[in-house]
């Protein structure tokens, strides 16, 4: 097996235990670790490092850089051991999140296309060790990534030492599915020559001097994926609104029958909305995205999608084994790229991508908060949504109209934290309806978002706010004394609803009953 996976004989002498590899990491170092949304991340060396700290009690603090989120074996384990003092550019672990919000870990939330530019130019300081998962090492020492590429190529080139986690659980069929391309140095780099979603411009492996590979640890562990919530009635309604909108754009001649290349953000809601395209009339679809989730494989299997380009294969645990066992069926229809290419603003704009991302909350003018609960507490991070939203042909944000059993409205007077300004948000979709904001001034956007996207239990409250705000005038009217009053009420009482307002569940029931009496179908516009 080692001969098949480590094809440069001299490197077989560098196979060591996870504990021996972890011994290369010392206090004050900066680590770059492979992995993007739990796919292809390092798994055993971080655990061995945390165990060493727990066993010996030594003081060891590191800065940790990744591609995006990684599984518990990295973030949670190292956080619980008190090892991580600074983290970037994205995370999703509850234990690490709590430490960030307590101020114990300094978290640098970044656009995912930008991290390696800063690393290459030394803006973040030197990188001491890169820990990269691989399925093989080639005859000339090239590192073949596994289920993600992320920032691994730049980490490999910039690190003083490389530790390879050679994962024999990951199928060798992954070899050949990667397209490793790194732009040249600024400011005189050549244009990135990618002109087709299915185009190849790089190499199948990460080329590194073999002497930089200090240790190889053989592992046999599956990616630790998180479950995805199944599509429900609300996400089906959201998908229906979006499909109707796409159909309208095709009829107007603004989109081709196969649409434009699609991007879908990470998580259950975005995956469920994309899944709804199985019921649409659109065929020969293409995907140019970061993460290839369950819905992408559903569309490929159904013959609706022609090709998918991404940075990582991140699927639910229920689908992972099945997809890996059928990888030969996808080899010619999927390509995995470094995240600076999958998220590159110039490529996104060149392809005219339709970007579909999720929001925590949207305000009446179309500003989006995608990271902070009540404006202060980090959830996960901005990820790649900003890369796509600002540069897409169509920038779509989806969210359910309420959260926490209706106690929180996701359509608010003013967002408590802004990740995507009104300038980067063109379409807002909830289960209630869709608001097309293109070409509209703020005073035109507000009533449209309220009437189309807000939950009925909050709609009159928003109308009242909008009427009061107009008294103060301005291009973007706000009553500053009340603009964040909903968030204050939620912080103090757990609900954005005033005590005497009808609860959303009751409002939904009344609306369904009225619709039934009138012989109408609710929830569609």
């Amino acid at each position: 097996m080692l001969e098949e996976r480590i094809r440069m004989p001299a490197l077989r002498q560098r196979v060591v235990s996870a504990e021996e590899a972890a011994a290369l990491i010392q206090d004050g170092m900066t680590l770059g670790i492979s992995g993007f949304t739990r796919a292809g991340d390092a798994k055993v060396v971080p655990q061995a490092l945390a165990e060493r700290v727990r066993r010996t009690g030594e003081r060891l603090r590191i800065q940790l850089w990744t591609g995006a989120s990684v599984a518990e074996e990295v973030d949670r384990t190292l956080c619980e051991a008190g090892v991580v003092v600074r983290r970037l550019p994205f995370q999703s672990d509850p234990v690490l999140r709590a430490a960030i919000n307590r101020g114990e870990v300094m978290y640098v939330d970044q656009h995912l296309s930008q991290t390696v530019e800063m690393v290459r130019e030394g803006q973040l300081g030197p990188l001491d060790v890169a820990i990269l998962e691989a399925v093989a090492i080639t005859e000339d020492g090239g590192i073949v990534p596994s289920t993600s590429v992320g920032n691994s190529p730049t980490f490999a080139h910039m690190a003083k030492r490389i530790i390879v986690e050679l994962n024999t659980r990951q199928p060798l069929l992954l070899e050949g599915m990667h397209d490793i391309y790194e732009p040249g140095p600024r400011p005189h780099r050549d244009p990135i020559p990618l002109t087709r979603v299915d185009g190849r411009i790089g190499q199948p492996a990460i080329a590194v001097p073999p002497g930089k590979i200090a240790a190889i640890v053989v592992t046999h562990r599956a990616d630790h994926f998180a479950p995805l919530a199944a599509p429900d009635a609300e996400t089906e309604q959201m998908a229906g609104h979006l499909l109707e909108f796409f159909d309208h754009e095709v009829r107007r001649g603004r989109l081709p029958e196969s649409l434009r290349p699609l991007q879908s953000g990470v998580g259950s809601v975005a995956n469920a909305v994309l899944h709804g395209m199985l019921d649409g009339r659109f065929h020969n679809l293409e995907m140019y995205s970061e993460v290839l989730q369950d819905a992408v494989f559903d569309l490929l299997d159904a013959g609706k999608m022609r090709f998918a380009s991404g940075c990582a294969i991140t699927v639910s645990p229920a689908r992972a084994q099945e997809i890996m066992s059928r990888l030969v069926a996808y080899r010619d229809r999927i390509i995995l790229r470094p995240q600076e290419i999958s998220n590159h603003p110039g490529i996104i704009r060149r392809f005219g991508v339709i970007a579909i991302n999720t929001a925590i909350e949207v305000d009446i003018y179309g500003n989006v908060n995608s990271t902070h609960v009540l404006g202060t507490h980090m959830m996960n991070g901005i990820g790649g949504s900003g890369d796509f939203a600002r540069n897409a042909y169509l920038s779509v944000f989806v969210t359910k109209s309420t959260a926490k059993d209706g106690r929180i409205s996701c359509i608010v007077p003013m967002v408590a934290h802004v990740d995507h300004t009104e300038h980067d948000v063109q379409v807002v979709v909830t289960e209630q309806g869709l608001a097309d904001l293109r070409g509209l001034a703020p005073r035109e956007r507000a009533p449209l978002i309220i009437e189309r996207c807000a939950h009925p239990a909050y709609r009159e409250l928003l109308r009242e706010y909008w009427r009061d705000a107009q008294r103060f005038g301005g291009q973007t009217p706000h009553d500053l004394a009340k603009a964040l009053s909903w968030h204050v009420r939620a912080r103090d009482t757990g609900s954005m609803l005033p005590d005497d307002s009808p609860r959303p569940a009751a409002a939904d029931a009344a609306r369904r009953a009225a619709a039934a009496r009138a012989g109408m179908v609710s929830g569609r516009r």
Side-chain angles (χ1 to χ4, degrees):
M1 184 176 293
L2 282 184
E3 291 179 356
E4 184 180 30
R5 299 269 184 166
I6 307 175
R7 299 173 199 145
M8 176 176 271
L11 289 179
R12 295 173 199 151
Q13 308 304 313
R14 298 180 196 171
V15 174
V16 299
S17 68
E19 292 72 21
E20 290 173 293
L24 298 173
I25 300 166
Q26 302 300 319
D27 184 45
M29 283 187 169
T30 298
L31 271 58
I33 293 184
S34 67
F36 193 99
T37 56
R38 293 172 168 263
D41 47 6
K43 297 173 174 64
V44 298
V45 176
Q47 286 185 306
L49 182 63
E51 179 57 34
R52 179 181 115 201
V53 170
R54 283 192 291 264
R55 185 181 68 254
T56 65
E58 70 176 291
R59 184 189 187 280
L60 195 152
R61 303 289 186 271
I62 64 165
Q63 297 190 65
L64 180 62
W65 305 345
T66 62
S69 57
V70 288
E72 290 88 338
E73 289 86 345
V74 179
D75 273 342
R76 181 171 302 182
T77 300
L78 293 176
C79 182
E80 289 177 336
V83 171
V84 180
V85 295
R86 187 175 300 273
R87 177 75 168 85
L88 62 86
F90 186 86
Q91 61 77 42
S92 64
D93 183 75
V95 172
L96 177 59
R97 180 187 306 138
I100 290 168
N101 286 321
R102 290 193 301 267
E104 296 169 2
V105 175
M106 296 297 102
Y107 178 47
V108 183
D109 186 24
Q110 293 180 326
H111 296 293
L112 296 186
S113 68
Q114 295 181 345
T115 302
V116 293
E117 297 279 24
M118 301 180 77
V119 171
R120 265 197 298 264
E121 294 169 351
Q123 296 183 56
L124 302 176
L127 178 61
D128 296 292
V129 178
I131 311 175
L132 310 179
E133 181 172 274
V135 297
I137 300 175
T138 65
E139 291 80 358
D140 57 359
I143 299 170
V144 181
S146 60
T147 46
S148 73
V149 181
N151 286 327
S152 292
T154 300
F155 288 168
H157 296 152
M158 298 302 297
K160 299 170 187 174
R161 288 175 161 180
I162 300 171
I163 298 171
V164 176
E165 287 198 6
L166 189 71
N167 192 339
T168 59
R169 181 76 171 264
Q170 303 279 30
L172 269 174
L173 280 171
L174 287 164
E175 188 170 3
M177 294 179 69
H178 309 93
D179 187 48
I180 310 300
Y181 178 91
E182 288 186 85
R186 295 188 286 194
H188 304 298
R189 67 171 50 147
D190 292 330
I192 298 171
L194 186 63
T195 57
R196 293 173 52 93
V197 169
D198 59 358
R200 284 185 171 273
I201 57 175
Q203 302 299 320
I206 303 169
V208 297
K212 285 187 70 172
I213 299 177
I216 301 170
V217 179
V218 179
T219 72
H220 190 75
R221 295 196 183 185
D223 285 324
H224 193 165
F225 294 131
L228 289 169
D232 58 22
E234 291 176 322
T235 57
E236 288 177 0
Q237 288 174 322
M238 293 157 71
H241 299 316
L242 201 52
L243 288 170
E244 185 178 330
F245 171 72
F246 289 155
D247 188 64
H248 174 269
E249 293 296 292
V250 170
R251 292 198 308 271
R252 291 292 183 93
R254 293 193 286 250
L255 282 176
E257 290 284 344
S258 59
L259 304 180
R260 295 281 183 90
L262 300 168
Q263 177 262 342
S264 177
V266 180
S268 297
V269 173
N271 180 73
V273 171
L274 187 65
H275 183 272
M277 299 199 70
L278 285 167
D279 299 324
R281 68 178 181 86
F282 306 106
H283 291 78
N284 209 32
L285 300 170
E286 293 181 330
M287 193 89 179
Y288 191 80
S289 192
E290 312 156 287
V291 176
L292 308 182
Q293 297 191 118
D294 287 18
V296 173
F297 292 90
D298 294 336
L299 290 165
L300 287 168
D301 290 343
K304 293 288 188 84
M305 184 168 286
R306 186 190 73 81
F307 196 89
S309 169
C311 177
I313 297 173
T314 302
V315 292
S316 64
R319 293 294 303 279
Q321 185 173 352
E322 175 225 338
I323 288 169
M324 288 298 110
S325 68
R326 297 178 53 227
L327 205 56
V328 67
Y330 303 114
R331 276 180 55 83
D332 296 330
R333 303 165 71 194
I334 285 176
I335 197 165
L336 298 179
R337 309 183 191 277
Q339 68 193 66
E340 68 174 319
I341 303 300
S342 69
N343 290 46
H344 194 280
I347 303 300
I348 294 165
R349 186 164 292 193
R350 178 183 298 170
F351 287 163
V353 169
I354 297 173
I356 306 170
N357 289 286
T358 55
I360 289 177
E361 60 182 3
V362 182
D363 71 23
I364 60 174
Y365 297 113
N367 297 291
V368 169
N369 170 15
S370 61
T371 59
H372 285 70
V373 176
L374 297 181
T376 58
H377 281 57
M378 172 59 66
M379 178 56 68
N380 296 329
I382 195 169
S385 57
D387 297 325
F388 284 91
R390 178 152 290 187
N391 300 285
Y393 169 77
L394 271 176
S395 173
V396 180
F397 279 89
V398 298
T399 179
K400 295 185 178 184
S401 64
T402 63
K404 302 296 182 183
D405 297 322
R407 297 190 301 276
I408 303 296
S409 176
C410 298
I411 307 297
V412 295
M414 176 189 281
V415 290
H417 177 90
V418 182
D419 292 293
H420 312 282
T421 73
E422 61 193 82
H423 311 291
D424 303 328
V425 180
Q426 296 169 329
V427 178
V428 176
V429 187
T430 73
E431 81 283 359
Q432 302 295 324
L434 180 148
D436 181 358
L437 308 178
R438 292 174 296 175
L440 299 184
R443 286 174 178 264
E444 297 170 309
R445 286 177 164 220
L448 188 66
I449 291 173
I450 292 169
E451 300 305 324
R452 294 283 180 87
C453 299
H455 192 281
Y458 291 93
R459 204 169 288 157
E460 183 54 39
L461 295 170
L462 287 165
R463 292 180 188 132
E464 179 183 342
Y465 176 83
W466 168 235
R467 287 192 298 267
D468 291 345
Q470 291 177 80
R471 294 187 294 109
F472 296 92
Q475 162 78 353
T476 307
H478 268 302
D479 182 345
L480 294 180
K482 298 179 180 178
L484 296 178
S485 62
W486 291 28
H487 297 85
V488 174
R489 186 158 58 238
R491 182 198 63 191
D492 294 343
T493 71
S495 174
M496 288 184 174
L497 284 167
D499 291 341
D500 58 352
S501 295
R503 297 289 162 178
D508 282 340
R511 186 162 59 94
R512 285 194 298 268
R517 285 194 298 271
M520 299 168 59
V521 177
S522 65
R524 298 300 298 274
R525 295 186 180 278

